[in-house]
């Protein structure tokens, strides 16, 4: 993880409409949405309300009345990895989907309308990592940031950064800021000079059971307390809490195996 500054304004205020390429939403598809809602509700203080049902039963998570994430149900016959998926803003999801395909990626879902909320597509980059594209209408995306219980950063874990960074630069217009190091392969993706996501090349250290995948960091007030709570709720600690230049971080998984990270920012 590198610089994970929020793209939102002061006091958690969020721009009305994100610039193309900005991470604007995170969504999780699971087999047991009721149990998953109970887990995240207890961990982050989320409440839930129904959302668009185009892809099956779906709810939006609210924090103090502000939308922060989505949880849906996978069809019983679909045995896909349970994973948090980041969505990147687009002014024209159909055009973005065409660009994804022309750059070696794939589109697995859509583009399709999500009622009056907006238009979406779900695809994967050339390495196989899944991401979403969101063209906002009534639903602009995550409406609060910078407080515990909200997405704070999205990071792609992959084999090597250079090739896949070129893909995301072409599709979304990111500027690349590589870390100059012989033993650390990392590229920060910037928009308008501000960091919005990262790509971490792990080489052979990348877990083969998952392959390349995006990881969402959620902000918490105290990582160690959150870990205790997570384990009590049936979650799993994948990497214990450790201090970084950007705060205290831990890698975890929910009871269905969806991996994510907890971030306690430096004060």
């Amino acid at each position: 993880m590198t610089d994970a500054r929020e793209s939102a304004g002061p006091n958690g205020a969020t721009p009305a409409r994100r610039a193309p390429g900005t991470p604007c939403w995170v969504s999780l598809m699971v087999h047991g949405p009721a149990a998953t809602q109970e887990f995240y509700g207890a961990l982050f203080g989320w409440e839930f309300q129904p959302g668009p049902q185009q892809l099956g039963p779906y709810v939006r998570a609210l924090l103090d009345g502000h939308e922060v994430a989505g949880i849906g149900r996978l069809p019983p016959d679909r045995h896909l990895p349970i994973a948090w998926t980041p969505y990147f803003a687009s002014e024209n999801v159909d055009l973005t989907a065409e660009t994804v395909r022309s750059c070696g990626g794939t589109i697995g879902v859509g583009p399709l309308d999500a009622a009056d909320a907006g238009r979406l597509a779900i695809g994967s980059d050339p390495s196989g990592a899944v991401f979403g594209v969101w063209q906002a209408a009534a639903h602009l995306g995550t409406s609060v940031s910078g407080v515990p219980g909200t997405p704070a950063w999205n990071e792609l874990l992959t084999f090597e950064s250079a090739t896949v960074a070129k893909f995301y630069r072409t599709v979304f217009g990111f500027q690349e800021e590589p870390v100059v190091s012989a033993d650390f392969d990392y590229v920060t993706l910037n928009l308008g000079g501000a960091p919005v996501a990262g790509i971490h090349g792990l080489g052979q250290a990348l877990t083969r059971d998952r392959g390349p995948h995006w990881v969402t960091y959620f902000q918490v007030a105290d990582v160690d307390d959150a870990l205790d709570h997570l384990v009590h709720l049936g979650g799993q600690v994948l990497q214990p809490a450790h201090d970084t230049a950007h705060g205290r971080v831990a890698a975890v998984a929910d009871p269905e195996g969806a991996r994510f990270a907890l971030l306690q920012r430096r004060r």
Side-chain angles (χ1 to χ4, degrees):
M1 179 183 180
T2 184
D3 199 337
R5 289 173 285 173
E6 298 91 356
S7 59
N11 302 318
T14 306
R17 188 173 294 273
R18 271 71 165 199
T22 305
C24 60
W25 189 245
V26 290
S27 189
L28 176 64
M29 302 296 285
V30 297
H31 296 293
T36 297
Q37 290 174 48
E38 184 176 349
F39 171 83
Y40 286 101
L43 183 64
F44 292 139
W46 292 350
E47 298 178 336
F48 301 92
Q49 68 178 19
Q53 307 292 303
Q54 271 69 14
L55 300 179
Y58 191 83
V59 296
R60 291 176 181 158
L62 306 179
L63 183 67
D64 297 328
H66 299 283
E67 296 177 343
V68 294
I71 296 174
R73 188 178 72 192
L74 281 171
D77 58 340
R78 298 294 297 274
H79 299 288
L80 301 173
I82 308 297
W84 281 100
T85 300
Y87 281 72
F88 299 94
S90 171
E91 292 182 338
N92 186 327
V93 71
D94 295 81
L95 181 59
T96 301
E98 290 179 12
T99 307
V100 167
R101 294 189 185 100
S102 68
C103 292
T106 60
I107 296 295
V109 176
L112 56 83
D113 291 325
D116 62 349
R119 190 164 172 80
L120 68 87
I122 300 173
S124 58
D125 65 31
S127 74
V130 176
F131 63 93
V133 183
W134 182 252
Q135 179 182 334
H139 175 61
L140 298 176
T142 303
S143 60
V144 64
S145 65
V147 297
T150 61
W153 185 248
N154 290 288
E155 186 169 278
L156 173 60
L157 303 184
T158 189
F159 293 109
E160 56 87 24
S161 66
T163 302
V164 75
K166 180 180 179 181
F167 167 85
Y168 285 99
R169 180 186 72 219
T170 304
V171 173
F172 293 113
F174 297 129
Q175 302 91 43
E176 300 169 33
E177 185 181 338
V179 172
V180 180
S181 172
D183 58 356
F184 187 63
D185 179 11
Y186 199 100
V187 173
T188 301
L189 301 176
N190 296 333
L191 278 178
V196 294
I199 300 176
H200 191 180
L202 295 173
Q204 297 306 308
L206 185 69
T207 55
R208 293 288 176 174
D209 61 325
R210 284 300 311 276
H213 60 283
W214 281 92
V215 174
T216 297
Y217 287 70
F218 291 95
Q219 187 165 336
V220 294
D222 187 300
V223 162
D224 298 276
D225 286 350
L227 287 179
D228 288 343
H229 198 27
L230 175 136
V231 171
H232 177 73
L233 293 169
Q236 180 183 3
V237 179
L238 303 177
Q239 184 180 31
H242 57 285
D243 293 316
T244 74
H246 311 286
R248 193 158 172 79
V249 173
V252 298
D254 68 20
E256 278 208 31
R259 302 181 183 192
F260 59 102
L262 302 175
L263 168 66
Q264 175 187 340
R265 294 192 182 278
R266 288 184 175 275
R267 291 182 172 86

